[in-house]
Amino acid sequence: MNQNQNKPAWMDDELVRSIPQTKLNFLGKMFQDTQGKTIGKSPKEMMTILMPMMARAKQENLSFTPQEMTACIAAIKKHSSEEERKQIDNVMNKIK
């Protein structure tokens, strides 16, 4: 059970248990801030949304290993609706 009712369920998922809470909080805010903003965007438009977030992560001395990103995305998708999963897949396909 969540100790903090405002914390998304994916942050308590076993897939991300070994990732520091500061990184999870950052990703949670990033996903919250971009929710719905990437629908129908071109890769170039999406980069204008994502670049400031990546700069903020750098300012906060946060870096993510590929394994951490994979685990976080899997956990988020696991706790998302079908529509949200489609949006996540769409974003991931565009940024590859």
Side-chain angles (χ1 to χ4, degrees):
M1 178 173 272
N2 278 347
Q3 292 175 346
N4 178 355
Q5 293 301 321
N6 295 325
K7 185 165 78 169
W10 69 266
M11 286 187 180
D12 286 330
D13 194 281
E14 63 195 31
L15 292 168
V16 297
R17 200 159 281 146
S18 66
I19 299 173
Q21 191 63 46
T22 54
K23 290 183 179 185
L24 297 178
N25 291 341
F26 179 85
L27 286 178
K29 176 129 176 60
M30 184 181 92
F31 278 99
Q32 179 182 356
D33 289 351
T34 60
Q35 194 168 23
K37 294 181 182 178
T38 57
I39 297 171
K41 301 288 186 191
S42 70
K44 184 178 179 180
E45 291 170 317
M46 287 176 43
M47 289 310 292
T48 63
I49 295 169
L50 297 175
M51 290 302 289
M53 293 177 183
M54 293 189 301
R56 190 170 66 222
K58 187 175 182 177
Q59 285 177 334
E60 295 179 23
N61 293 319
L62 294 176
S63 62
F64 297 87
T65 67
Q67 295 82 8
E68 288 174 330
M69 287 305 298
T70 299
C72 287
I73 292 167
I76 290 168
K77 287 175 70 173
K78 183 176 172 183
H79 296 275
S80 297
S81 69
E82 181 64 29
E83 184 174 325
E84 291 168 330
R85 285 191 295 273
K86 286 179 184 177
Q87 288 177 358
I88 293 167
D89 288 339
N90 184 38
V91 169
M92 297 310 295
N93 287 332
K94 286 183 179 180
I95 62 174
K96 284 184 180 179

